[in-house]
Structure formats: C-alpha cells, structure tokens
Amino acid sequence: VGDIIAEPLRTHYPDIKGAELREKVDAIMDRVGLHPHQKNRYPHEFSGGQCQRVGIARALILEPKLIICDEPVSALDVSVQAQVINLLKSLQRDMGLSLIFIAHDLSVVKHISDRVMVLYLGNVAENASRAELFANPRHPYTQALMAAVPIPDPERARAKPPAELEGDLPSPMNPPSGCVFRTRCPLATEYCGREIPVLEDKTGAGHWVACHYVERDEELN
Ligand code: SF4
C-alpha cells in the first residue's frame, strides 16, 4: 500500500526518493486516518473504508487543488460512508480543496455539497446551491428524484403518493429528440420533442433549470 500511495509522486516528481518519499507517504497516511506502519501491508488486508482512505491518500499526495470523486462511498456500508464523507469534508476545509463529488445517493449529496448539478443522460437538468435545490427543486426529473427518497417512517411512507418514474432510461447512444427527459416526463408535450430546452437561470441568483415549462421568477410575479 505504501507503493500504491507513493506512485503518483514517483511518476511526477522522480527526484523525490528515499527518506523524503517515505516521510511524505507517512504524513499523508496519518492525515487520512491510516497508521504509517500499515504501509507494508497488501490491499486485501484492508477493509473497504480503509481502501477508500488509501485511494484518498494517493489522490492527495500530489497536493491537488481539485479532486474528482466518482461514487467514492457507494460500495461502503452506511457507518463507513459517514466516516469517509466526514474525512473528505475535513480535508476540503483544511487543505482548501475543491471536490467534484459524483453520487446517486441524495442524502450523501445533501451532506457534502455546496452546489448540486443534476444530470440526466449526460445533460444538465438543474444546477443550484444545495439549500435552494433541496428546498425548491424545479426540474421534473429532480422533483421525481426527491420524491423517490425513502421515508424511514412506515405510516408517512404509505401516505406518500407513488413517485417512480415510468419507463426505462433511453440509450445515450440514441437519445430522444428535443428534451432528453421527455420519454419519462409527466409534463412532456409535443413541443418538448421538437425543441431542446435551454439551461436558464430561473431566479437570477444561480438556480439553473433546463425545462420549457419552468417559469422564470419574474414571469411568475
Ligand atoms: S422540457 Fe418538457 S419533457 Fe423536458 S423536463 Fe420540461 S416539461 Fe419535461
């Protein structure tokens, strides 16, 4: 594991070697909550959460400004997810990092994000601050995602109307004409099949939505 963490440094800074390289590996392992003496172990000797920490250490050792985290916690159980997310948040704060965090779990997205971009079939459906998006989702797809979040109270869950989206996700190789969401959108019209909706700031304050039928705030007043 020490070799795995050191590899980016050896590749990009070949002059760093020996004691200096070991010191940097020890420091970054310590920072992500691993014991430096674990560097002599093999990956199969680590738990899932520890393996994610190894991955984070390997990404951080070059001191990047930006890390793209693609589903970093989806394979972990909930308690370990929380540990890894809290670690990423503390690194973000302490190291001035920006994270692009790709996830399907809305509770994880809500916990870690400052801004949220909702994608459907590779197209931006909505983009807003976390608070604005979760308080006031405007795109029909985002609304369907929010409505599908499980409620841990059986009585409230039974009272909630069913929220599944109908139909299957179309192939990205052969996307629908016009709005890519139209084959599953409850509000779709014939116009949606002809015109691609433009991503527009509907509030003038950074709440972007790509839908013909979401009005701008000034149009509502
Ligand atoms: S443009 Fe039409 S199909 Fe697309 S999200 Fe809006 S209403 Fe639905």
Side-chain angles (χ1 to χ4, degrees):
V1 151
D3 269 353
I4 289 170
I5 295 172
E7 188 182 22
L9 264 189
R10 280 202 308 270
T11 303
H12 293 280
Y13 298 94
D15 293 344
I16 299 179
K17 25 177 106 124
E20 191 186 1
L21 185 62
R22 283 195 296 278
E23 256 171 45
K24 284 186 179 291
V25 170
D26 288 0
I28 205 69
M29 288 184 78
D30 188 48
R31 185 63 192 82
V32 301
L34 294 167
H35 291 293
H37 70 254
Q38 293 175 306
K39 67 173 175 273
N40 292 323
R41 295 192 187 168
Y42 288 95
H44 70 265
E45 296 175 76
F46 287 77
S47 68
Q50 286 175 321
C51 283
Q52 288 306 69
R53 288 170 194 264
V54 171
I56 293 167
R58 182 180 154 93
L60 285 176
I61 202 160
L62 291 175
E63 300 179 16
K65 292 264 179 282
L66 170 73
I67 300 184
I68 299 174
C69 308
D70 191 357
E71 296 279 10
V73 295
S74 56
L76 304 175
D77 72 44
V78 175
S79 60
V80 183
Q81 276 189 4
Q83 289 171 17
V84 172
I85 289 170
N86 289 337
L87 169 65
L88 284 169
K89 283 186 76 141
S90 76
L91 293 169
Q92 188 187 30
R93 191 181 54 238
D94 300 346
M95 301 176 79
L97 270 178
S98 295
L99 302 173
I100 294 180
F101 195 94
I102 302 165
H104 283 84
D105 183 332
L106 285 183
S107 57
V108 169
V109 171
K110 190 173 184 182
H111 189 66
I112 197 162
S113 309
D114 295 312
R115 281 194 75 79
V116 182
M117 179 183 283
V118 180
L119 295 170
Y120 183 82
L121 220 61
N123 290 259
V124 179
E126 187 159 3
N127 177 5
S129 70
R130 173 198 40 194
E132 171 69 12
L133 189 111
F134 279 89
N136 187 16
R138 298 188 180 208
H139 192 282
Y141 179 53
T142 316
Q143 290 170 346
L145 289 178
M146 300 278 179
V149 172
I151 299 176
D153 173 344
E155 284 197 9
R156 281 177 53 221
R158 270 195 291 275
K160 202 174 100 161
E164 301 99 55
L165 281 176
E166 307 233 322
D168 293 327
L169 191 69
S171 163
M173 301 293 285
N174 185 22
S177 61
C179 175
V180 287
F181 187 52
R182 73 176 169 81
T183 54
R184 304 174 79 197
C185 179
L187 307 179
T189 64
E190 180 267 334
Y191 181 66
C192 301
R194 279 192 281 121
E195 290 294 324
I196 298 173
V198 176
L199 187 66
E200 271 187 313
D201 183 358
K202 302 289 185 181
T203 60
H207 191 146
W208 298 78
V209 187
C211 174
H212 296 308
Y213 299 109
V214 173
E215 307 284 356
R216 284 207 293 272
D217 280 2
E218 66 265 27
E219 289 162 350
L220 293 173
N221 296 328

